Amino acid sequence: MVLRLNVRIEGATELMAACRRVGRDAEDELRDQSFDIARTLADRIKYAGAASDRQSARASRTVRERRDRFPVITAGPHPLLLGSEFGATRHFGWYAAGRYYSSPGRQFRPHRGSASYWFFETAEQMQPYVKAEWREVAKRIVREWPRG
């Protein structure tokens, strides 16, 4: 299972069209700058996972940034990823066997509905940063590369 976060950025479609008109150099610059933004976001999410609990720390090691025209991060696959991110209300895997049914121990933290423990919570807190940085990158590219 891989977790993904989508952020809507106004003017992105127009910028993509402008990059196609001005050429490969502008698109390469956009990819490089988006990768830097994604790296910052991925690092923050990794730190949040490491600070959350041991299961989240293990799962947070799978958080990666990807080079694309937009800031892209992914997490997973990891068996602890969803349980550490959203919690659980029952036992899974080998812990679901009948002999562990009345076990007082918990396999994951309590399930909190759609609330996040570390990944999405941190990503949502970083949305203003991502939007502002990407907007600055777009402005710089439009300024530096003349229209073809």
Side-chain angles (χ1 to χ4, degrees):
M1 175 55 82
V2 175
L3 297 178
R4 293 195 171 124
L5 175 72
N6 295 323
V7 177
R8 179 162 168 64
I9 302 174
E10 295 176 18
T13 306
E14 295 82 6
L15 179 65
M16 294 299 106
C19 283
R20 282 191 293 276
R21 285 194 303 270
V22 297
R24 185 80 177 155
D25 291 339
E27 192 163 327
D28 285 344
E29 177 69 17
L30 179 63
R31 287 178 188 272
D32 291 342
Q33 297 298 316
S34 293
F35 183 75
D36 290 342
I37 296 168
R39 181 182 299 137
T40 301
L41 178 60
D43 287 345
R44 287 281 180 93
I45 290 173
K46 286 179 194 177
Y47 297 147
S52 184
D53 70 348
R54 285 179 35 198
Q55 289 177 336
S56 300
R58 287 182 61 196
S60 71
R61 293 183 202 138
T62 66
V63 175
R64 301 279 185 265
E65 61 276 358
R66 199 174 75 205
R67 188 173 184 269
D68 201 348
R69 294 174 297 179
F70 299 99
V72 176
I73 59 167
T74 60
H78 195 282
L80 298 175
L81 184 61
L82 292 176
S84 69
E85 170 62 359
F86 298 110
T89 57
R90 61 187 181 101
H91 302 292
F92 293 93
W94 62 267
Y95 203 49
R99 65 180 181 213
Y100 300 110
Y101 181 74
S102 61
S103 173
R106 298 197 65 92
Q107 188 174 13
F108 294 107
R109 292 183 278 190
H111 182 61
R112 299 190 307 176
S114 62
S116 162
Y117 276 105
W118 58 278
F119 185 91
F120 287 107
E121 177 181 323
T122 306
E124 288 170 4
Q125 291 171 357
M126 293 289 292
Q127 275 189 5
Y129 164 79
V130 172
K131 287 181 179 182
E133 288 294 311
W134 202 85
R135 190 175 298 123
E136 287 302 313
V137 168
K139 286 179 185 177
R140 191 173 3 173
I141 288 174
V142 168
R143 238 186 353 259
E144 290 179 9
W145 274 275
R147 298 183 197 268

